[in-house]
Amino acid sequence: MTAPVRAGADGLPAALRRRLHPDPTVRRLAGITLVNTVGNGLSLAVAVLFFTRVLGLSAAQLGLGLTAAGLCGVIASVPAGRAADRWGARRVLVALVTAQAIGTAGYVLVRSYPAFVALACLVSAVDRGSAAVRNALYAEVLPADRRVEGRAYLRVVTNVGICGGTALGAIALQLDTRPVYLTAIVADAASFVVVAVLFHRLADPRRPAVFGPAREVGVATQPPGEGAEWGSRRNPALRDGPFLAVTVLNAVLCLQFAVLEVGVPLWIVQETEAPRITVAGTLIVNTLLVIALQMRATRGTEERSGATRACGRAGLVLAASCLVISFAHGLPAILAAVVVLGGVALQSLGEVVGQAGGWALSYDLAGERDHGAYQGVFNAGTAAAMMAGPALVSTLVIGYGTTGWTVLGGLLAAAGLGMRPAVRWAGRRGR
């Protein structure tokens, strides 16, 4: 006989309640994130087949369209962040997510290639813009000393949600019919509608904002968007040299995602004897380790020096993972699979540490003002890495083999270690 599952006053089992975040705001954000990422996981699983088999696009057309869409995403991050400072992050986020719902649903009506490219650019722009505004919203609704830990919790929820959505997508792929693919896309659009409603119901943060040359935190409370001075100011993040340097270095570290999603699968299939199922194994290993380690990885990043050290360690671990993965070439099948999975485990460790350090620096170097502007620029760097990463990584890995992996590892190590002088520069600037 098993012991009965105890439920608290809220009706949830005790085991589940222990896994919920103690902060009610983070719990509400986690619920919104879960809905959003389940829809994203479903869409990601079926997108390629939907575009090629239902819309009839060729691989070349799809690649060109998604590249143009990625560029639009990079460009949209900066003005979206500024809009958050002007009108408030919650209000702008509701508008962007609503536009994303409409754009996603519009895919089922596409009948021409120009229409697909235009719609893909719109969806990518509002997606990247909403990512920047979400990060600014976290700065508004979470205390400064708990932002990184809160984002780590939300990233764990993100991985759980994407896993759930991908499982639903696998069912759609197995059924493999036009109505099922259309239903999956409409379901993703519906998830954005739910997310927009939930963000609208989120308590509106009335964060004091400071305008003008005197920028002491906690002084001169003027809400964002009120007063003529705001509109005349140029984007402060684009004139902040140390912050731009950190943004570029973090973008280089974000090439790790292209390594996992593009470089490793190509390497397994084309350059090793490892079974093809190893590709799925790498994604499982990465997801499980991120879920298990992301919260722990934030420890010590509360201070600027700790966040800087975290980025340096991440760069070195990511470089080591590249070297380990490269060793799989020429090995017997099972041994090659073990080596690749070991390299991906290292990559996952570097990922969680580097993400925690990058988040902390993006908030710390911005201070308690203009979070939309700073997060917009920081997110644009990440979006640029996501756009350029697949081509860069595949060229290095497949074009140059072990030498390419070594160059890629050296690039990641240099980016991580370069954070220290960049942050010192910020300190000299009096930040």
Side-chain angles (χ1 to χ4, degrees), residues 361-386:
L361 291 175
S362 73
Y363 288 127
D364 183 78
L365 296 179
E368 291 306 305
R369 77 286 190 278
D370 297 316
H371 275 296
Y374 277 82
Q375 290 302 318
V377 171
F378 195 76
N379 188 76
T382 303
M386 298 295 189

Side-chain angles (χ1 to χ4, degrees), residues 61 64 116 129 142 149 158 230 249 280-281 294 326 349 410 423 425 427:
Q61 286 177 321
L64 180 61
F116 162 74
L142 299 176
E149 187 253 355
T158 295
W230 187 96
L249 293 172
Q294 186 65 80
S326 72
L349 178 60
V423 172
W425 180 18

Side-chain angles (χ1 to χ4, degrees), residues 344-368:
V344 169
L346 279 176
Q347 189 270 346
S348 303
L349 178 60
E351 175 185 333
V352 296
V353 174
Q355 288 289 286
W359 296 335
L361 291 175
S362 73
Y363 288 127
D364 183 78
L365 296 179
E368 291 306 305

Side-chain angles (χ1 to χ4, degrees), residues 161-227:
I162 289 179
C163 284
T166 302
L168 294 175
I171 298 174
L173 293 174
Q174 182 63 31
L175 295 173
D176 194 30
T177 65
R178 177 186 176 90
V180 169
Y181 289 135
L182 292 174
T183 301
I185 296 300
V186 171
D188 185 30
S191 73
F192 287 122
V193 174
V194 175
V195 168
V197 171
L198 292 175
F199 272 127
H200 178 72
R201 295 177 61 184
L202 191 69
D204 191 8
R206 297 298 178 182
R207 177 174 61 88
V210 184
F211 299 92
R215 291 188 169 274
E216 298 180 56
V217 176
V219 181
T221 60
Q222 184 178 6
E226 293 184 9

Side-chain angles (χ1 to χ4, degrees), residues 189-423:
S191 73
F192 287 122
V193 174
V194 175
V195 168
V197 171
L198 292 175
F199 272 127
H200 178 72
R201 295 177 61 184
L202 191 69
D204 191 8
R206 297 298 178 182
R207 177 174 61 88
V210 184
F211 299 92
R215 291 188 169 274
E216 298 180 56
V217 176
V219 181
T221 60
Q222 184 178 6
E226 293 184 9
E229 186 176 354
W230 187 96
S232 63
R233 289 192 304 119
R234 294 162 58 191
N235 191 320
L238 293 177
R239 294 180 290 118
D240 190 331
F243 186 82
L244 292 176
V246 168
T247 296
V248 171
L249 293 172
N250 182 77
V252 174
L253 287 177
C254 285
L255 292 175
Q256 62 188 280
F257 297 111
V259 170
L260 179 67
E261 297 168 6
V262 178
V264 171
L266 288 176
W267 185 248
I268 290 172
V269 173
Q270 298 187 25
E271 302 295 335
T272 77
E273 300 298 323
R276 296 197 174 202
I277 196 174
T278 308
V279 174
T282 61
L283 298 176
I284 293 172
V285 167
N286 176 260
T287 300
L288 292 178
L289 288 178
V290 169
I291 292 173
L293 300 177
Q294 186 65 80
M295 291 288 291
R296 298 180 186 180
T298 64
R299 296 173 185 171
T301 60
E302 297 85 0
E303 299 294 330
R304 184 181 297 185
S305 58
T308 305
R309 287 193 298 270
C311 290
R313 289 195 298 269
L316 294 175
V317 173
L318 290 171
S321 75
C322 290
L323 293 178
V324 170
I325 293 169
S326 72
F327 293 154
H329 179 70
L331 295 178
I334 300 302
L335 185 56
V338 171
V339 170
V340 169
L341 291 176
V344 169
L346 279 176
Q347 189 270 346
S348 303
L349 178 60
E351 175 185 333
V352 296
V353 174
Q355 288 289 286
W359 296 335
L361 291 175
S362 73
Y363 288 127
D364 183 78
L365 296 179
E368 291 306 305
R369 77 286 190 278
D370 297 316
H371 275 296
Y374 277 82
Q375 290 302 318
V377 171
F378 195 76
N379 188 76
T382 303
M386 298 295 189
M387 181 186 69
L392 175 63
V393 169
S394 61
T395 299
L396 286 173
V397 169
I398 302 304
Y400 299 95
T402 301
T403 301
W405 279 112
T406 303
V407 171
L408 183 58
L411 186 63
L412 292 168
L417 296 175
M419 285 292 189
R420 185 178 295 276
V423 172

Side-chain angles (χ1 to χ4, degrees), residues 122-161:
L122 170 65
V123 171
S124 178
V126 294
D127 175 66
R128 290 294 84 204
S130 63
V133 177
R134 270 198 309 272
N135 295 340
L137 179 71
Y138 299 154
E140 293 184 355
V141 300
L142 299 176
D145 60 347
R146 293 205 294 272
R147 285 172 191 154
V148 175
E149 187 253 355
R151 283 194 64 175
Y153 185 85
L154 295 176
R155 189 158 190 259
V156 171
V157 173
T158 295
N159 278 267
V160 172

